[in-house]
Amino acid sequence: MRPAVLTGEYFMTGDVACAEGALAAGCRFFGGYPITPATEVAEHIAGRLPEVGGTFIQMEDEIAAMASIIGASCAGVKSMTSTSGPGFSLMMENIGLAICTETPCVVVNVQRAGPSTGLPTQGAQGDMMQARWGSHGHYDIIALAPSSPQEIFYQTIDAFNLSETYRLPVLIMTDEMIGHLSERVVIPDAKKIKTVSRPRPKGRKDRFKPFEPGPNGVAPMAHAGEGYHIHVTGLTHDERGYPVMTVEAQKAMMAQLMGKIQRNLDDIIRTEAYRLEDAEVVIVSYGVSARTSLAAVDEAREQGIKAGLLRLVTVWPFPEAQIRNLAKKVKGFVTVEINLGQIHLEVERCAAGKVPSFLVGHPGGTIITPERVVEALKEFF
Amino acid sequence: MKQIKKQVRHPLDDLLRIDRIPHIWCPGCGIGTAFSSCLIAMRESGIDLEKTVMVSGIGCSGRGAGYVNLDSYHTTHGRAIPFATGMKLANPELNVVVFSGDGDLFAIGGNHFIHAARRNVDLTVVCVNNFTYGMTGGQVAATTPLKAKTTTTPVGNPDTPFNLPLLAYASGATYVARWTILHTRDLTESIEEALLNRGFSFIEVLSPCPVNYGRRNKENGIDSLKIYQERTIIRNDAQPWELDIDFDRGIVLGKFIQTERPTCTDRYDNTCRPKELIEGEKGLE
Amino acid sequence: MVFWRVPFDSEEIQITTGIVYIIEDRCKGCGYCIEYCPRDVLEFSSKFNTKGYHPPAVKKPDDCVNCHYCEILCPEFAIYSVEASTEQG
């Protein structure tokens, strides 16, 4: 029997590293449904969960998978699911339920080219706006984008920690290339992995209000079967969790759901800079595209273009302030992503009126080569 | 001569979120009765109520979770069962009761129902069948009797309704019963048995919707109850395929199935968990 | 009480008596308790409750046998009965 944290050095795919990251983060429930190219996450964790006291279940569809992980989380167990585009679409309604009921959980989307069934075995980054706005209504969400199997291991832990800290679903927006890429992955000693658990109630059970924010702006979470007699609903609710069908209640609840993210942007947003100090042209990228952009920066510099890379580790909430600050001192932005302009729109919005912003996009199915990025830089600037 | 005394609390008040009563259900709606039966059964069964959770979906019956003074979860439309499945598997100590309606459990949520029954997830599913979508104003449902009028079948329903006990039986449920709200004591007894049954238990409760179903079919609440009285017959252990909803031929009520087979959690532990882990745990006990 | 055939031990049977309590403002006037009371104890009252419905009223208090059927049939948690003797004791 293997331990939950498989300390050691491995050669593993991004999908497997994601599953191991989840176990290291304390995930003990996985509800899934097979879908290329995310199936390996479920396959791997299906064998691993029972040996660490967890539970794996393959549900009847992605709707059920998402519902089951919310249920498991409400019962007090850290939970996760993984999918790709079509399944991600089916999960959207219940992602909204997790947002509204402030239920921590992690959803991994190993992106493939769409729309519809698209190119099931070939990667893309076309679900980035769906990650942001896919469920109905207005809300804030956290989405991370790993660029390597090693990073997906750490980001999965990070995703759990963020979801537990702020009580919301956190999305890992990876792609087929990273998911199926085998690379060296180092899993550290269990003691060196920092894990966070949701805030928990203290004090009298009869006075507990399940949605009353604690000192850090996040409500402590009582689990089912602990005697708090909580009511949890996807309807607009007050601090007691009771449905209240008024404009005022809607305003107050939305302020709480958005506020806990908006007040903590500094803690949530992670970006990585490469040769950005003296850059005149900024490449903005994430996931697999950030890897190809990295090579493009060096190549462009050799050809006399002062390029730098801003890699978005957290894609949502979008690092607006950083783009706005950069826009004051650079000549322009180029967003590199495997879609036809999604994060590009955000960059353009934040740079608007200051400097131009361009897209190096692709409809999906393959990566964007460094050569193409360099050519684009030469053409645009 | 009896004395007139000051009113005391209703016997179910301690199980209700009194600050949310009156509930939203219309005059004559039977959901309140089915809900009340469920609460009585929960108390009478002797299960640990602190470890008991009610999960509902969306719709009139879906509001049930909001009125029970226990841990309660009001989820999305049709998804009460997969939510409850996750909850039960994550913490097998919980008694999970799914209280929802026919539209929620058998139209939008039909797929989840058959799979939870197949796996024999240890849940108690109480389905209030009012033959229609009440919350949205009375549209045709998967349970609407043939030829009945609804807002979306203004001249009559052309489709055959589900035989829910047959569906539950065929899918693998280990306890299956059907009652009406008029058969309150039998219903309560059935829910109590279902709560104590280890495995997927299903109880269908026929219930009037005078406002959105009855009105269009020339039936007020009392008429519906009269129909439940006159055109039903109790036949425990009747064959599940004889349980079609057809008020002209009469409707069979009763407890049809009570059997034992390993639950989802039993099978998972026995099949998937490493033997040393299970033996290790037994050693600790 | 009307019997089709008077039981031999009818003299010995002790019939429990009950007191009906009505939480009038919870009532939505469906009339199920009135229609289905096996002893015909209840009737609609002429007054309105705060929601504008006619709640039931006890017309034959001495006939209640504390069967609780009104209590379990009521969808509104608005009516219940208690055993008369325990109430007095």
Side-chain angles (χ1 to χ4, degrees), chain C residues 2 9 16 18 23 35 38 43 45 47 51-52 54 57-58 61 63 66-67 70 73 76:
Chain C
V2 185
D9 55 354
T16 340
I23 307 173
E35 179 73 25
E43 64 183 351
S45 74
K47 68 174 174 185
K51 290 196 293 246
H54 293 290
V58 180
D63 284 6
N66 196 33
C67 75
C70 57
L73 186 64
E76 305 291 334

Side-chain angles (χ1 to χ4, degrees), chain B residues 9-35:
Chain B
R9 284 157 55 86
H10 189 278
L12 287 174
D13 275 7
D14 54 338
L15 276 176
L16 289 170
R17 294 187 194 274
I18 287 300
D19 45 354
R20 298 206 61 223
I21 301 292
H23 51 59
I24 62 161
W25 299 314
C26 305
C29 168
I31 300 170
T33 307
F35 185 66

Side-chain angles (χ1 to χ4, degrees), chain A residues 57-68:
Chain A
I57 186 167
Q58 183 174 313
M59 295 298 283
E60 50 275 15
D61 55 31
E62 287 90 345
I63 301 171
M66 189 64 214
S68 75

Side-chain angles (χ1 to χ4, degrees), chain A residues 181-308:
Chain A
L181 178 67
S182 288
E183 270 185 350
R184 179 172 175 264
V185 174
V186 179
I187 300 181
D189 198 74
K191 285 179 209 135
K192 290 193 179 142
I193 294 173
K194 183 184 163 248
T195 60
V196 177
S197 289
R198 56 200 71 171
R200 302 277 287 133
K202 299 183 193 84
R204 284 181 56 168
K205 289 187 178 179
D206 56 337
R207 290 196 187 148
F208 177 68
K209 291 182 187 160
F211 295 96
E212 185 176 40
N216 68 343
V218 181
M221 183 168 171
H223 300 148
E226 291 185 331
Y228 286 93
H229 296 188
I230 53 172
H231 182 57
V232 174
T233 176
L235 285 165
T236 295
H237 49 265
D238 61 13
E239 291 179 341
R240 294 172 302 171
Y242 286 11
V244 183
M245 302 295 103
T246 65
V247 177
E248 292 73 28
Q250 171 73 2
K251 273 172 90 173
M253 187 187 78
M254 291 297 287
Q256 167 59 15
L257 296 181
M258 309 280 290
K260 66 184 180 183
I261 306 298
Q262 291 300 324
R263 282 192 301 273
N264 294 293
L265 292 177
D266 291 343
D267 180 49
I268 296 166
I269 293 177
R270 295 133 163 84
T271 58
E272 216 174 77
Y274 180 66
R275 302 184 85 169
L276 214 53
E277 311 78 31
D278 61 339
E280 289 174 350
V281 180
V282 178
I283 299 174
V284 179
S285 195
Y286 54 91
V288 71
S289 298
R291 286 172 78 119
T292 51
S293 301
L294 206 61
V297 169
D298 292 341
E299 179 60 29
R301 287 215 174 223
E302 269 179 32
Q303 297 190 26
I305 302 170
K306 277 192 162 176

Side-chain angles (χ1 to χ4, degrees), chain B:
Chain B
M1 184 67 197
K2 287 177 189 171
Q3 296 169 324
I4 297 190
K5 293 205 172 175
K6 197 172 148 263
Q7 283 182 355
V8 284
R9 284 157 55 86
H10 189 278
L12 287 174
D13 275 7
D14 54 338
L15 276 176
L16 289 170
R17 294 187 194 274
I18 287 300
D19 45 354
R20 298 206 61 223
I21 301 292
H23 51 59
I24 62 161
W25 299 314
C26 305
C29 168
I31 300 170
T33 307
F35 185 66
S36 160
S37 251
C38 195
L39 297 186
I40 297 169
M42 280 156 90
R43 192 162 58 195
E44 298 294 310
S45 68
I47 56 170
D48 183 358
L49 293 180
E50 296 298 290
K51 296 263 175 222
T52 302
V53 187
M54 189 179 273
V55 180
S56 287
I58 296 296
C60 293
S61 307
R63 291 302 187 98
Y67 299 116
V68 63
N69 190 17
L70 297 173
D71 289 327
S72 51
Y73 294 84
H74 180 219
T75 65
T76 42
H77 197 18
R79 318 306 168 202
I81 286 181
F83 182 99
T85 300
M87 191 163 252
K88 178 70 187 178
L89 299 190
N91 183 1
E93 278 186 15
L94 297 173
N95 307 304
V96 185
V97 180
V98 174
F99 186 92
S100 218
D102 50 302
D104 187 78
L105 291 167
F106 290 99
I108 189 166
N111 196 29
H112 309 307
F113 180 91
I114 60 173
H115 284 274
R118 169 177 70 84
R119 294 187 181 104
N120 200 23
V121 185
D122 187 8
L123 304 175
T124 303
V125 179
V126 179
C127 171
V128 181
N129 179 2
N130 58 8
F131 313 105
T132 193
Y133 285 88
M135 185 71 90
T136 47
Q139 293 73 36
V140 70
T143 46
T144 306
L146 194 65
K147 295 181 182 163
K149 290 194 171 98
T150 72
T151 61
T152 46
T153 54
V155 293
N157 177 23
D159 295 320
T160 313
F162 265 133
N163 169 348
L164 298 181
L166 174 60
L167 183 64
Y169 163 72
S171 309
T174 49
Y175 185 98
V176 181
R178 174 198 274 159
W179 299 104
T180 80
I181 64 151
L182 195 68
H183 300 76
T184 328
R185 288 188 207 281
D186 301 291
L187 170 63
T188 307
E189 202 175 300
S190 249
I191 300 176
E192 205 180 312
E193 282 180 355
L195 288 166
L196 298 171
N197 178 55
R198 265 187 106 251
F200 189 88
S201 309
F202 172 65
I203 294 141
E204 177 186 13
V205 191
L206 307 186
S207 166
C209 173
V211 173
N212 278 325
Y213 177 77
R215 186 161 50 100
R216 295 190 179 87
N217 293 286
K218 302 198 166 52
E219 235 181 85
N220 65 28
I222 300 269
D223 296 337
S224 299
L225 294 198
K226 292 243 164 86
I227 291 170
Y228 298 165
Q229 192 177 1
E230 290 158 12
R231 298 195 208 153
T232 58
I233 179 164
I234 298 174
R235 265 172 48 212
N236 291 318
D237 302 319
Q239 300 301 330
W241 49 88
E242 298 170 350
L243 306 174
D244 288 335
I245 292 280
D246 182 342
F247 285 103
D248 295 333
R249 283 171 44 206
I251 288 174
V252 181
L253 308 176
K255 178 174 89 182
F256 311 119
I257 305 288
Q258 185 167 17
T259 174
E260 272 181 46
R261 69 187 177 97
T263 65
C264 182
T265 306
D266 295 341
R267 284 247 162 88
Y268 187 76
D269 287 346
N270 292 335
T271 313
C272 305
R273 294 220 189 272
K275 294 284 170 284
E276 56 265 44
L277 193 74
I278 297 171
E279 280 155 17
E281 277 176 7
K282 277 181 187 156
L284 287 174
E285 285 166 10

